Amino acid sequence: MKEQLAKIRAEALAALEEAKASADLDALRVKYLGKKGELTAVLKQMGKLSAEERPIMGQLANDVRAALESALESTSKKLEEAALELKLKAEVVDVTIPGKEVKIGHKHPMYIALDEIKDIFIGMGFTVLDGPEVELAELNFDRLNAEEGHPSRDWSDTFYFDEDSRVMLRSQTSPMQVRAMDSMELPIRIVAPGRVYRKDEVDATHSPMFHQVEGMVIDKGVTMADLKGTLNTVVEQLYGEGTKTRFRPHHFPFTEPSCEMDVQCHKCGGVGCPTCKGEGWIELLGAGMIHPRVLEMAGIDPEVYSGWAFGIGLERTAMRRFKIADLRLIFENDIRFLEQF
């Protein structure tokens, strides 16, 4: 047995010297020290020894086990150090090589304009609301006094999801005004920015998907003068003091009286060019005093409260803000265009 133990020790230590990976160490551990290993097999023969030989052989076997375990641990550390050294060499960084420039992104011009608009209205005490882009025709049309038969409800103008024309991609963010009237306490001052969809042909100032910022005020004693004063203040803060605007009579079912507000064309200064289609002015928004019937449908007494509402085209706002000649540039993601901002 003594010879067997000596042989196991010698063979195991030699094998450990040749080990190249941790998998080799695991195999050797099992081979020599496992439950069915060679050292365990020798120890099972201890019962055949005399009482005097057992302690001697037991001590010798313990010495062999200790030697193998120590060698295993030592070899494992060497292999780990060697692997780390190889990894460090493979991942070495040449500090003399020029670094790569990290380009930091920036806001899209349209969202720069949106943030400016929100800051202006928040400073005036307005609350910013957000709502769903898939909307009910009841909120997009019915509650806004656009009854069946109104041109805006036609399939040629609006994206519907069902044959009954009840579920749709919202054509305006005005449904958020209805939601506000239903859920908020009076007085109300809100703006509602978001994407909207209409079946418009793409040109320099139109797109089937665009963005609006709708706004609404409802309080006692609100007049058209408040509307004009607020909108002129907003435009001057956006485009600079002295920016020229004009208000034209119009018709919207949601408001009465109604108007449209134009800003002087930034491209030609009012002379006339392709951007403004020769008119010298670019339509920026529609607005007006909230129709009494709309207030009544929301349970608000039009004899006590009055209000005004407006809807700004965000893309056109950005065009005027950054002197962009063609709305399509905003959506084309041309890096040469976007890097200017």
Side-chain angles (χ1 to χ4, degrees):
M1 184 177 286
K2 184 176 181 180
E3 291 76 12
Q4 285 180 297
L5 291 172
K7 182 181 179 182
I8 290 172
R9 177 173 182 157
E11 289 179 354
L13 293 177
L16 287 171
E17 287 289 332
E18 299 295 326
K20 302 297 184 184
S22 58
D24 298 333
L25 294 183
D26 291 336
L28 291 172
R29 189 190 309 274
V30 172
K31 179 179 179 181
Y32 292 105
L33 301 178
K35 291 183 177 180
K36 296 182 180 180
E38 294 185 14
L39 182 58
T40 304
V42 172
L43 292 175
K44 288 181 180 179
Q45 301 175 26
M46 293 285 285
K48 300 177 182 179
L49 299 177
S50 63
E52 292 80 10
E53 291 178 314
R54 285 176 192 166
I56 298 172
M57 290 299 106
Q59 182 61 47
L60 185 58
N62 287 337
D63 291 343
V64 171
R65 180 182 293 277
L68 295 186
E69 289 176 346
S70 177
L72 280 165
E73 184 178 353
S74 176
T75 305
S76 177
K77 288 182 179 179
K78 288 179 181 179
L79 291 176
E80 288 177 3
E81 291 172 358
L84 179 60
E85 187 67 24
L86 288 173
K87 185 176 181 182
L88 291 174
K89 287 181 179 179
E91 297 177 0
V92 66
V93 177
D94 186 350
V95 295
T96 65
I97 297 177
K100 293 182 179 179
E101 180 183 0
V102 178
K103 290 187 177 181
I104 299 176
H106 55 79
K107 288 181 182 178
H108 190 282
M110 189 179 68
Y111 285 97
I112 295 174
L114 174 59
D115 286 345
E116 289 178 351
I117 290 171
K118 289 196 292 187
D119 286 344
I120 292 168
F121 279 105
I122 289 172
M124 293 180 175
F126 283 66
T127 300
V128 179
L129 301 183
D130 187 27
E133 294 177 24
V134 176
E135 190 57 271
L136 297 175
E138 177 189 357
L139 299 182
N140 197 90
F141 293 126
D142 297 342
R143 293 285 301 278
L144 297 174
N145 204 33
E147 299 177 345
E148 294 287 348
H150 191 277
S152 64
R153 301 185 71 144
D154 194 87
W155 277 76
S156 62
D157 284 355
T158 302
F159 294 97
Y160 289 104
F161 285 99
D162 61 333
E163 294 183 359
D164 295 331
S165 305
R166 303 313 302 172
V167 182
M168 56 183 289
L169 288 173
R170 65 183 179 185
S171 60
Q172 53 200 353
T173 55
S174 301
M176 288 309 300
Q177 298 176 18
V178 178
R179 293 175 184 272
M181 286 188 283
D182 287 345
S183 62
M184 297 178 70
E185 296 290 332
L186 294 169
I188 298 172
R189 291 175 178 81
I190 62 102
V191 286
R195 276 189 294 266
V196 298
Y197 306 84
R198 296 178 189 174
K199 292 182 179 178
D200 287 334
E201 294 295 330
V202 177
D203 61 25
T205 56
H206 293 85
S207 169
M209 186 283 292
F210 58 101
H211 296 74
Q212 276 191 340
V213 180
E214 295 269 351
M216 180 179 71
V217 169
I218 300 176
D219 203 347
K220 295 178 180 179
V222 173
T223 68
M224 193 78 172
D226 300 317
L227 169 63
K228 293 181 68 176
T230 301
L231 293 180
N232 277 325
T233 299
V234 171
V235 168
E236 287 201 341
Q237 290 195 43
L238 281 173
Y239 304 137
E241 189 174 350
T243 299
K244 294 183 180 179
T245 65
R246 71 176 184 183
F247 289 81
R248 294 178 287 105
H250 200 71
H251 169 71
F252 299 110
F254 181 60
T255 53
E256 179 59 39
S258 304
C259 65
E260 285 190 338
M261 187 179 82
D262 304 331
V263 290
Q264 193 173 75
C265 179
H266 56 276
K267 193 70 175 177
C268 65
V271 176
C273 69
T275 298
C276 62
K277 299 179 180 179
E279 295 183 4
W281 298 87
I282 295 177
E283 176 192 335
L284 185 64
L285 59 86
M289 299 300 294
I290 299 175
H291 198 292
R293 188 161 181 267
V294 173
L295 294 174
E296 289 174 349
M297 284 189 282
I300 299 173
D301 187 350
E303 297 296 327
V304 178
Y305 290 93
S306 59
W308 49 255
F310 64 87
I312 300 175
L314 185 56
E315 282 79 5
R316 294 184 186 183
T317 305
M319 288 174 69
R320 179 66 173 76
R321 170 71 172 77
F322 296 107
K323 296 180 171 57
I324 299 169
D326 195 318
L327 179 145
R328 288 166 289 195
L329 290 168
I330 293 175
F331 299 112
E332 288 176 350
N333 293 326
D334 189 327
I335 195 70
R336 295 169 298 178
F337 167 74
L338 295 174
E339 282 181 340
Q340 299 177 64
F341 306 98

